Amino acid sequence: MARPRAEQPTPGELEVLKVLWEMSRPATVREVLDVLNAQAEKPRAYTSAMSLLNVMTDKGLLRRSPQGRAFVYEPESGREPTLRSMLGETLRRAYDGSARLLVAHLLDQSSPSAEELDAIRTLLDEYASKTPEPDPKGGGSCSTSRPRRRKG
C-alpha cells in the first residue's frame, strides 16, 4: 500500500518554499537551484530540483506557469499561513493541543537570551490582554517584530 502524501512540506520542500518566499516572485528551476546550491554543502542536480518542484506542484504547495520554453514556480500559500499550518499540525499531533508543553519544549531547545525572554513575556502579556476570537485555522498572524521592552 502506498504511503499517503503528507499535506505539510518535507524539510527539502520547506527549503524550496523559503527560497521562493525570499525571492518574492515566480522563479525557474535554474534560479531556485542556484540559490539552493549556494546554501548547500553538497550541490543538487538540475533534474533533482526539477523533480522536487514538480512533486510540490502536484501536492499543491506550488503553482507552475509557462514562461517561454520553461516553467516558473511560485508558492501556493504565503509564509505565514504555511508556518501557522505546520505549527498547528505539530501542536495537535505531537503535543495533543497543549500549548504549555509545546512552549516548554521550545524554550528548552532554543535557550533564549534574557532579551528574548523579555520579548516573549511582552507577547504573552499582550495576548492575555486581548479577547481573541477562535480561528479554526489555528490563530491569527504571528507578530514577528520585536515587542517593546517590559517595564519593571
Side-chain angles (χ1 to χ4, degrees):
M1 179 183 204
R3 189 173 122 187
R5 288 195 187 266
E7 290 185 23
Q8 300 299 326
T10 65
E13 292 167 348
L14 187 57
E15 200 176 354
V16 168
L17 286 170
K18 287 178 180 179
V19 167
L20 289 168
W21 288 326
E22 193 65 33
M23 292 177 95
S24 300
R25 62 173 176 77
T28 64
V29 174
R30 174 61 58 198
E31 291 171 320
V32 172
L33 180 64
D34 288 346
V35 174
L36 290 173
N37 282 345
Q39 300 169 351
E41 291 178 26
K42 183 179 175 190
R44 296 180 189 195
Y46 180 90
T47 53
S48 297
M50 184 174 61
S51 293
L52 180 60
L53 271 70
N54 287 330
V55 166
M56 292 175 70
T57 301
D58 292 343
K59 284 177 72 172
L61 295 170
L62 298 178
R63 281 189 300 271
R64 175 179 52 214
S65 308
Q67 183 181 25
R69 293 179 43 192
F71 285 105
V72 290
Y73 297 83
E74 60 187 315
E76 190 66 48
S77 294
R79 183 185 306 254
E80 279 294 319
T82 301
L83 297 179
R84 187 178 20 214
S85 174
M86 291 174 67
L87 184 59
E89 182 174 321
T90 299
L91 178 65
R92 286 186 302 280
R93 291 182 63 210
Y95 294 97
D96 295 324
S98 171
R100 183 191 58 77
L101 254 178
L102 182 136
V103 170
H105 282 126
L106 178 65
L107 292 172
D108 284 345
Q109 291 294 311
S110 63
S111 303
S113 67
E115 182 179 289
E116 286 178 308
L117 286 172
D118 281 346
I120 291 167
R121 284 184 193 97
T122 300
L123 286 171
L124 289 171
D125 290 345
E126 288 172 1
Y127 184 83
S129 69
K130 287 196 261 181
T131 52
E133 294 189 24
D135 182 344
K137 295 179 184 171
S141 293
C142 179
S143 171
T144 55
S145 62
R146 294 212 167 222
R148 298 174 307 279
R149 188 156 175 89
R150 280 173 43 106
K151 294 179 183 175

